């Protein structure tokens, strides 16, 4: 590790790392010379969803990091453990896990097929526990272990519970896992946090699963990557057990300017993300 590049030679596993926020975190850490494991199902190009584990691996290498692209289904225990074994065999250890893979469907009870709920449960919350179990023996050996899950602060206000409770339950489940695992893993000096955007982020999930009209009122994934970097470089459990908001993390680090993250520089009203109350 060098003083100005604290993630140099650190090994970071990023699930769902083939595009969007996961890709942006990979490139941010790669600039420090980190070892990035791009763990995703996307090994071939999709006409609507750009990015594969191999294209991001190339970008990571170009940014100054080392890359290991691994096709992974976070629902499959064998797939996860094989990825961890390959990671340790390649880089010698694991320093951080980013639980970025996600599934979304913003529908009410009658319009949510149980198979879709099972999918969200498996990819959103079950995968957090499964991936943590798989990496834990190696994180315990890291001098500054971190787990970050992409999930929100828990709000029980009715307007978040009414419209899409099936999805909400799975995302809140991730946050509960964060709070519980943070306490359990504190004695091993492993920090566990959740990270969530204050505003909508311009990703495929917003474009195809929510509403493409929101994109001009969104921020780029870079703000989430910058916030994740602040968390990953924190030491001695300075942040753990928190459900953090990207802008709040950056403000606490001294940042005051956020216009550079706007998709549309002329947009005066950004769209708040799900589960974020501005009042």
């Amino acid at each position: 590790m060098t003083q100005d590049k604290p993630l140099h030679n650190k090994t970071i596993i990023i699930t769902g790392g083939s595009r969007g926020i996961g890709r942006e975190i990979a490139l941010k850490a790669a600039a420090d010379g980190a070892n990035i494991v791009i763990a995703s199902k996307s090994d071939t190009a999709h006409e609507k969803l750009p990015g594969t584990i191999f294209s991001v691996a190339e970008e990571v290498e170009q940014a100054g990091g080392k890359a290991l692209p691994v096709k992974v289904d976070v629902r499959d225990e064998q797939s996860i453990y094989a990825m961890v074994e390959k990671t340790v065999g390649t880089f010698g250890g694991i320093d951080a896990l980013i639980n970025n893979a996600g599934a979304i469907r913003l529908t009410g009870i009658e319009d949510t097929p149980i198979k879709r709920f099972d999918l969200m449960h498996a990819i959103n919350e079950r995968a957090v526990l499964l991936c943590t179990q798989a990496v834990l023996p190696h994180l315990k050996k890291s001098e500054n272990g971190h787990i970050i899950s992409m999930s929100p602060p828990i709000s029980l206000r009715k307007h978040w519970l009414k419209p899409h409770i099936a999805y909400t339950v799975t995302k809140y489940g991730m946050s509960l896992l964060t709070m519980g695992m943070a306490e359990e893993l504190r004695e091993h000096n492993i920090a566990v946090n959740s990270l969530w955007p204050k505003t909508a982020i311009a990703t495929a999930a917003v474009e195809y699963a929510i509403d493409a009209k929101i994109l001009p009122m969104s921020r780029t994934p870079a703000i989430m990557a910058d916030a994740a970097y602040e968390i990953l470089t924190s030491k001695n459990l300075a942040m753990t057990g928190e459900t953090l908001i990207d802008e709040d993390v950056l403000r606490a680090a001294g940042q005051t300017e956020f216009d550079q993250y706007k998709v549309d520089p002329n947009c005066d009203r950004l769209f708040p993300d799900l589960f974020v109350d501005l009042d």
Side-chain angles (χ1 to χ4, degrees):
M1 182 180 72
T2 60
Q3 187 173 0
D4 58 339
K5 294 185 176 182
L7 296 183
H8 179 73
N9 208 34
K10 299 296 184 181
T11 299
I12 304 169
I13 294 173
I14 306 175
T15 67
S18 60
R19 60 181 62 93
I21 292 170
R23 169 186 171 274
E24 203 71 31
I25 294 173
L27 298 181
K28 177 74 175 182
D32 266 17
N35 308 319
I36 308 296
V37 182
I38 305 104
S40 171
K41 289 180 66 179
S42 300
D43 61 340
T44 56
H46 188 285
E47 59 180 80
K48 290 185 177 181
L49 300 173
T52 68
I53 56 176
F54 302 112
S55 66
V56 175
E58 290 180 4
E59 291 181 291
V60 164
E61 298 278 355
Q62 291 170 2
K66 295 179 181 178
L68 177 63
V70 186
K71 184 176 182 179
V72 170
D73 184 345
V74 295
R75 298 169 295 176
D76 180 12
E77 185 173 355
Q78 289 186 331
S79 179
I80 292 295
Y81 276 89
M83 177 269 293
V84 169
E85 183 176 354
K86 191 171 184 180
T87 298
V88 175
T90 303
F91 296 125
I94 298 170
D95 299 288
L97 166 67
I98 311 292
N99 292 303
N100 175 68
I104 182 172
R105 182 169 176 135
L106 301 181
T107 50
I109 298 169
E110 291 183 305
D111 297 317
T112 305
I114 198 64
K115 286 185 178 181
R116 187 66 187 189
F117 175 73
D118 289 344
L119 179 70
M120 290 190 291
H121 165 73
I123 294 177
N124 294 345
E125 55 186 323
R126 181 179 181 273
V128 170
L129 183 60
L130 175 56
C131 291
T132 298
Q133 288 176 332
V135 303
L136 192 53
H138 308 287
L139 278 185
K140 287 180 178 179
K141 299 175 184 178
S142 173
E143 63 181 19
N144 191 35
H146 280 274
I147 299 170
I148 302 176
S149 297
M150 300 302 165
S151 62
I154 296 175
S155 170
L156 299 182
R157 298 180 72 168
K158 294 178 182 178
H159 59 269
W160 295 130
L161 301 179
K162 178 182 177 180
H164 38 70
I165 188 60
Y167 174 70
T168 300
V169 163
T170 66
K171 297 306 287 187
Y172 284 5
M174 293 172 68
S175 297
L176 284 170
L177 283 167
T178 286
M179 292 184 278
M181 293 191 308
E183 297 312 310
E184 184 175 345
L185 301 182
R186 188 181 294 274
E187 64 182 279
H188 301 292
N189 197 41
I190 299 172
V192 189
N193 293 285
S194 285
L195 179 62
W196 194 250
K198 182 175 182 178
T199 73
I201 301 294
T203 64
V206 169
E207 184 173 3
Y208 296 111
I210 303 178
D211 189 344
K213 294 179 182 178
I214 295 175
L215 292 176
M217 296 181 283
S218 302
R219 285 172 169 165
T220 67
I223 189 170
M224 287 289 282
D226 288 350
Y229 183 87
E230 291 296 331
I231 298 170
L232 290 170
T233 56
S234 65
K235 298 180 179 180
N236 301 319
L237 303 178
M239 285 187 277
T240 193
E242 303 284 346
T243 52
L244 301 162
I245 297 294
D246 56 357
E247 185 176 316
D248 295 343
V249 171
L250 295 176
R251 286 190 182 279
Q255 187 167 329
T256 58
E257 179 56 55
F258 297 91
D259 284 349
Q260 70 269 27
Y261 299 118
K262 288 182 178 180
V263 170
D264 179 0
N266 298 316
C267 179
D268 294 326
R269 185 179 68 86
L270 294 171
F271 196 90
D273 202 16
L274 297 170
F275 313 115
V276 177
D277 293 308
L278 301 182
D279 58 350

